[in-house]
Amino acid sequence: MYDVIVIGGGPAGMAAAIKAKQNGSKTLIIEREKKLGGILKQCIHDGFGLIKFKKQLTGPEYAQRYTELVNELKIETMVNTYVSNLKVNGDFFEITIVNRKGIKVLFSKALVLANGCRERSVKQIFIDGTRPSGVFTAGTAQYLVNRKGYLPCKNCIILGSGDIGLIMARRLKLEGANVLGVYEVKNSPSGLTRNIIQCLDDYNIPLYLSKTISTIHGKNRVIGVDIVSVDENLKEIPNTKEYISCDGVILSVGLIPENENAESLNVSISKNTKGPIVDQNLMTSIPGVFSCGNALHVNDLVDYVSESGEIAGLNASKYAFSHYENFDEFLNLEFNDNDFLYVVPQKLKINFNENTIIYFRVKEEIENCVVRILYDNKCIYEKKYNKVKPPEMERIILKNIKLDITKSISLNLGKE
Ligand SMILES: Cc1cc2nc3c(=O)[nH]c(=O)nc-3n(C[C@H](O)[C@H](O)[C@H](O)COP(=O)(O)OP(=O)(O)OC[C@H]3O[C@@H](n4cnc5c(N)ncnc54)[C@H](O)[C@@H]3O)c2cc1C
């Protein structure tokens, strides 16, 4: 019987396990790949750890720092092991694992779901045409180039301006591929501004907004695509079709939290984040089950992934010792869907004396605005922003809030 089992050995899972172990819990990390580190293992560019370590680390360097701590603390790890099912059994959980030795059931008092996220694929964005080879998600292309040493295409276009697509545009160009352009269906880029500058502008790779692929051509291999312009409702504008020949299409069209494990426990899932609904301890709707990192909501910075892992791990460990949550009451943190893409946590435990970190993304870019927290219709927190935009996750810290179950609390966005 473990106190805390962490599913996923990426930065979120390692941070969670470290905190749980430091709090005295018998802790295990289960990771399906051969090594800990998660997605960071293939992110060989720098830009990781600016907040946490005040340094520009590469992904593997950032992962290495955490892996060393996991080893120093002698945290048990099972790699090459896949968690296939989770079940509540009274006061503990049954975790079904599959590895080369076969199928086995483990037991734990608390669980941390740190499974990361998945990329949206061509099936989810409904592009016409045949299914030739040469169509890759940006993460797969990144894996092939950075870990396997293959160049998956020579003349490619990138669909979607998410951060991974921008980073892969630069990477493929550096490896000698001709990157014909990044095509984004929306009228503004989805990735971070720093990535637009460092990955596209610096390498003369054009970014085309309000354009998308309508058809992929090719029988065995991609030979070209039809590009069309779209209006403000993302509908194709007639007579704008343009054929571009290429041998590769790289998709960077969004990430979705990986939640098969959460769903097997019937954890409530947010329609906004597509990850579990949580309180400020990052506990889900199932007592004893915590979520963090990209499994909770898609983060743009790894530093915040580690931060959420620490919160989830520490609280999972406390839960394993005392089951403290069972008698608590919660208030919903209300927000307007027209202003915010999402807000995490969605629920606030009323008897909470520690700092509460609130992560959010706005729905549209807005300048000179104020984000306020209203409790019982009074402003208890206010922060001014010169600019907020959807690609950049924001984070605020609420100190020592004492809530009353009969009152309401909300996050609001307004003009200055
Ligand atoms: C291409 C790319 C570029 C990025 N660039 C930057 C950057 O420049 N700067 C920055 O700060 N951040 C960057 N990020 C963001 C940051 O790296 C990620 O948000 C972060 O690494 C996610 O960590 P995670 O632990 O939540 O998920 P992951 O790293 O995905 O880890 C999840 C782990 O769970 C395992 N797993 C999943 N399901 C199971 C299961 N059923 N059983 C066992 N194991 C399982 C997976 O194998 C994986 O190892 C980038 C992300 C990507 C994808």
Side-chain angles (χ1 to χ4, degrees), residues 9-237:
M14 287 196 282
I18 288 165
K19 277 286 167 191
K21 178 80 183 199
Q22 285 171 334
N23 197 48
S25 284
K26 182 169 154 56
T27 305
L28 169 71
I29 304 177
I30 305 176
E31 167 55 51
R32 69 182 165 198
E33 292 192 354
K34 205 159 64 181
K35 276 183 161 184
L36 299 179
I39 197 76
L40 295 179
K41 299 196 293 289
Q42 66 186 58
C43 299
I44 62 170
H45 58 281
D46 67 5
F48 296 83
L50 272 172
I51 301 165
K52 205 110 202 133
F53 299 111
K54 310 275 175 284
K55 276 201 168 147
Q56 289 248 31
L57 303 172
T58 63
E61 283 169 338
Y62 188 98
Q64 183 64 21
R65 291 189 175 212
Y66 277 87
T67 313
E68 279 167 9
L69 204 46
V70 166
N71 294 338
E72 259 171 47
L73 290 168
K74 299 195 169 44
I75 296 172
E76 251 185 90
T77 55
M78 271 188 189
V79 291
N80 286 324
T81 303
Y82 183 75
V83 173
S84 64
N85 197 38
L86 299 172
K87 213 167 111 187
V88 185
N89 185 345
D91 269 355
F92 57 90
F93 299 95
E94 289 182 14
I95 299 99
T96 307
I97 56 160
V98 187
N99 57 25
R100 283 187 192 151
K101 293 184 191 150
I103 299 176
K104 197 174 168 186
V105 177
L106 305 174
F107 302 96
S108 184
K109 293 177 192 160
L111 284 179
V112 178
L113 308 177
N115 314 50
C117 63
R118 275 189 188 164
E119 295 178 280
R120 290 175 81 213
S121 68
V122 76
K123 264 195 178 164
Q124 287 153 303
I125 54 166
F126 309 109
I127 300 178
D128 264 4
T130 46
R131 290 286 171 262
S133 65
V135 182
F136 304 93
T137 62
T140 304
Q142 189 179 49
Y143 174 77
L144 291 173
V145 177
N146 292 352
R147 295 202 58 200
K148 290 288 171 189
Y150 300 134
L151 190 60
C153 45
K154 290 188 181 132
N155 267 304
C156 67
I157 77 155
I158 313 251
L159 181 66
S161 58
D163 287 312
I164 318 177
L166 302 178
I167 284 158
M168 280 319 290
R170 174 178 66 183
R171 188 80 190 105
L172 288 163
K173 183 125 184 183
L174 283 171
E175 288 300 330
N178 188 14
V179 182
L180 301 164
V182 175
Y183 292 82
E184 168 58 57
V185 71
K186 288 184 279 162
N187 58 12
S188 61
S190 308
L192 297 173
T193 308
R194 76 167 197 216
N195 283 335
I196 303 282
I197 298 166
Q198 292 172 6
C199 301
L200 302 189
D201 299 353
D202 288 357
Y203 290 83
N204 293 324
I205 298 170
L207 169 65
Y208 301 99
L209 299 173
S210 300
K211 282 181 185 281
T212 189
I213 295 178
S214 62
T215 308
I216 296 176
H217 298 279
K219 198 168 165 219
N220 299 319
R221 176 84 198 189
V222 175
I223 54 162
V225 293
D226 289 337
I227 299 283
V228 290
S229 297
V230 298
D231 63 20
E232 58 279 11
N233 300 315
L234 309 186
K235 288 263 172 311
E236 180 177 334
I237 303 174

Side-chain angles (χ1 to χ4, degrees), residues 230-277:
V230 298
D231 63 20
E232 58 279 11
N233 300 315
L234 309 186
K235 288 263 172 311
E236 180 177 334
I237 303 174
N239 305 322
T240 56
K241 197 184 282 179
E242 177 195 359
Y243 178 81
I244 296 182
S245 64
C246 60
D247 67 357
V249 176
I250 310 290
L251 302 169
S252 179
V253 289
L255 301 163
I256 311 169
E258 159 94 62
N259 270 315
E260 267 170 31
N261 282 158
E263 278 159 12
S264 73
L265 280 172
N266 275 332
V267 162
S268 304
I269 300 290
S270 153
K271 70 176 176 21
N272 300 80
T273 57
K274 311 277 187 290
I277 292 175

